[in-house]
Amino acid sequence: MQLLEDAARRATAYLESLNHRPVRPDPDAVARLDQLDTPAPLRPTPPADVLAQLDRLVSPATMASAGPRFFGFVIGGALPVTVAASWLATAWDQNTCFDSATPGVARLEAIAQRWLLEMLDLPRESAVGYVTGATIANFTALAAARNAVLKRSGWNVEADGLYGAPPIQVVVGEESHPTLLKSLGMLGLGRNRLTRVPVDSQGRMRVDKLPKFSTPAIVCLQAGNVNSGAFDPFPELCAAARDAGAWTHVDGAFGLWARVSQSLAHLTRGMELADSWATDAHKWLNVPYDSGLAVVRDTAALRSAMAITAEYLPSSGARRAPSDFTPELSRRARGTEVYAALKHLGSEGLAQMIERNCAQARQFAEGLRAAGFEILNEVVLNQVVVRFGDAEHTRKVIDAIQRDGTCWAGVTVWQGLTAMRISVSSWATTHEDVERSLAAMIRCAQEGSPRAGATT
Ligand SMILES: Cc1ncc(COP(=O)(O)O)c(C=O)c1O
């Protein structure tokens, strides 16, 4: 087992290096990745050599997204306790499908389900499916939605498919995340058939532009616009959808976590009236990839959309069968890391982490605005959208910031403007990291090029 000790030593050294190395991958290391690309191996290689090669060639070619100054996309780090729990779960190698076969991890997921519903203050009767990410969480919850609204119209989509089914009106915001549209496409609901509701200057669905609903209908709302971080106005939208007998779904890939904070309650109020919610644990709960959560109020609807009923498989017993709630039958025990994060942080620690990241986003916005740059969004959560000038100049500055290596943030085009998007979603980011990153961003924007040697 020296091999596993070696892996732990290498992983620890890697994580410890993240604060001192450039955030972007080393371009020379990226070029050296070609060395991995050999003909398919014929002869065995000793395990220690395989590991050493991975560490030597791949570790320096990674983006330091697990470190404290990565602000790209909406990614989040991984709390050390969740990395450690993930190692243990990998050693267990449990196929998390049935309680009878893998009782330990099935129980962890059942307990974490209860804790999640309590901490997020969502209907306690809901079921949670542990899936790979928000795309599949949206897919999973919307499969339950599709089946349930068609069932109410007297159509059994599981048995008879969508051919000849009553058409479902699917309502989305103009700034829904593209993966939500992908999920709807995968469910046969047709990307081109969606009713798209105009949004306001922050990307929030406009209540005054809500269409007349026909039934069956599914309304997809958003908690956390991927650019601005804005939340749809839930009380009005959920009430209108409910009055019309529609199923309301919330894509809260990162924004759902705001539910844990009292100070963010003004954003999340009314969301509990929905029927289903999707979120990522690998984003703001800071567990390792891949980990998403599909939450559905009507447990029977989720189970009937996801459960398999093959004769040779154990039938649902008294305890929760994990595979009754996910598209996969066989999968890793990803609920282990969710359990570890919730146990370690508690609701207070989780709220502190979310609120700290939101305060850090405001710190970024204030610093950049004070330096004369335009902040395009109302900074209500953890997202900041900043412009350094016209599109060409903004792209040049972002490029310089990325090459500088002190921190990393990416380009976006939001509401027609090219900008840099900063997402603060890591447990590891400190006030000093924000100060240091701000200084680097402002320096690059003022010089238009990175300072030599400013990478460590
Ligand atoms: C609002 C929203 N929905 C869905 C997704 C897709 O999440 P994932 O990449 O985990 O599938 C994202 C990713 O950033 C997102 O921000």
Side-chain angles (χ1 to χ4, degrees):
M1 285 300 145
Q2 216 180 331
L3 183 71
L4 297 186
E5 280 167 21
D6 189 25
R9 192 181 50 76
R10 288 177 186 278
T12 308
Y14 173 79
L15 290 174
E16 283 174 354
S17 76
L18 293 180
N19 202 19
H20 313 290
R21 54 156 270 193
V23 177
R24 53 156 173 74
D26 174 1
D28 294 336
V30 173
R32 284 196 298 274
L33 290 173
D34 285 348
Q35 294 176 30
L36 295 163
D37 199 2
T38 60
L42 189 64
R43 302 222 167 76
T45 304
D49 293 358
V50 175
L51 198 68
Q53 189 207 39
L54 288 175
D55 194 22
R56 181 170 54 82
L57 289 177
V58 183
S59 292
T62 55
M63 176 75 85
S65 48
R69 291 184 304 282
F70 179 81
F71 306 109
F73 311 98
V74 187
I75 282 202
L79 290 154
V81 69
T82 67
V83 178
S86 172
W87 290 348
L88 201 53
T90 303
W92 294 338
D93 194 25
Q94 300 289 284
N95 181 355
T96 316
C97 45
F98 306 118
D99 178 75
S100 56
T102 54
V105 292
R107 188 68 71 81
L108 281 182
E109 293 196 352
I111 296 165
Q113 166 178 293
R114 181 168 56 76
W115 290 357
L116 281 163
L117 296 174
E118 200 173 303
M119 291 186 189
L120 293 170
D121 193 17
L122 292 175
R124 305 301 192 267
E125 69 272 26
S126 308
V128 178
Y130 293 83
V131 296
T132 50
T135 304
I136 300 301
N138 281 323
F139 172 84
T140 303
L142 288 165
R146 179 194 65 179
N147 295 13
V149 298
L150 283 178
K151 188 174 173 195
R152 281 183 223 146
S153 300
W155 187 268
N156 182 341
V157 69
E158 281 282 322
D160 301 320
L162 282 172
Y163 302 103
I168 303 174
Q169 182 189 26
V170 182
V171 179
V172 299
E174 281 284 7
E175 288 196 15
S176 290
H177 197 270
T179 58
L180 181 95
L181 309 185
K182 172 179 166 171
S183 303
L184 292 166
M186 289 196 290
L187 288 164
L189 296 174
R191 297 187 195 206
N192 292 344
R193 298 180 54 121
L194 307 175
T195 306
R196 293 170 195 257
V197 180
V199 294
D200 66 12
S201 65
Q202 297 304 306
R204 291 174 293 227
M205 220 188 253
R206 281 179 54 179
V207 179
D208 61 315
K209 295 284 183 186
L210 215 54
K212 283 247 164 313
F213 294 113
S214 54
T215 43
I218 300 172
V219 182
C220 301
L221 307 180
Q222 186 165 251
N225 178 291
V226 75
N227 283 299
S228 67
F231 285 56
D232 282 336
F234 296 112
E236 296 89 337
L237 295 172
C238 289
R242 189 174 263 198
D243 289 350
W247 178 294
T248 312
H249 172 72
V250 179
D251 176 4
F254 56 101
L256 198 70
W257 297 105
R259 293 270 304 170
V260 302
S261 159
Q262 283 300 321
S263 65
L264 297 169
H266 59 288
L267 295 174
T268 63
R269 204 171 337 103
M271 200 195 278
E272 65 284 353
L273 300 173
D275 299 289
S276 58
W277 305 262
T279 193
D280 267 321
H282 60 219
K283 288 189 168 66
W284 226 354
L285 187 60
N286 275 261
V287 309
Y289 283 90
D290 44 19
S291 189
L293 303 163
V295 185
V296 178
R297 180 196 294 271
D298 181 349
T299 299
L302 180 58
R303 187 185 271 126
S304 82
M306 293 294 141
I308 9 138
T309 47
E311 291 298 316
Y312 71 96
L313 297 168
S315 58
S316 295
R319 289 205 188 277
R320 178 184 186 281
S323 63
D324 279 357
F325 306 99
T326 58
E328 311 94 336
L329 173 61
S330 302
R331 64 173 174 83
R332 69 181 194 91
R334 60 174 67 93
T336 308
E337 298 119 28
V338 174
Y339 176 93
L342 299 178
K343 174 82 178 163
H344 164 61
L345 292 170
S347 50
E348 285 177 10
L350 182 53
Q352 279 162 14
M353 182 171 75
I354 301 296
E355 287 165 5
R356 185 170 65 243
N357 285 163
C358 293
Q360 289 164 335
R362 293 194 296 275
Q363 191 186 343
F364 265 121
E366 281 157 22
L368 289 164
R369 202 179 278 120
F373 304 113
E374 186 187 0
I375 304 298
L376 297 183
N377 65 321
E378 289 166 20
V379 181
V380 293
L381 202 67
N382 62 332
Q383 305 288 110
V384 181
V385 188
V386 58
R387 230 172 136 226
F388 297 103
D390 65 15
E392 196 191 337
H393 184 66
T394 297
R395 279 184 192 275
K396 270 195 192 143
V397 172
I398 296 170
D399 194 46
I401 290 169
Q402 292 178 356
R403 277 186 291 123
D404 171 82
T406 304
C407 63
W408 201 99
V411 69
T412 187
V413 179
W414 183 48
Q415 304 207 339
L417 294 173
T418 300
M420 184 172 83
R421 188 163 54 119
I422 302 168
S423 176
V424 195
S425 1
S426 175
W427 69 276
T429 303
T430 62
H431 182 81
E432 290 68 37
D433 287 311
V434 177
E435 288 290 306
R436 204 169 138 191
S437 303
L438 260 175
M441 288 173 182
I442 293 168
R443 186 181 66 241
C444 290
Q446 285 167 350
E447 291 173 3
S449 63
R451 196 182 63 189
T455 50
T456 55

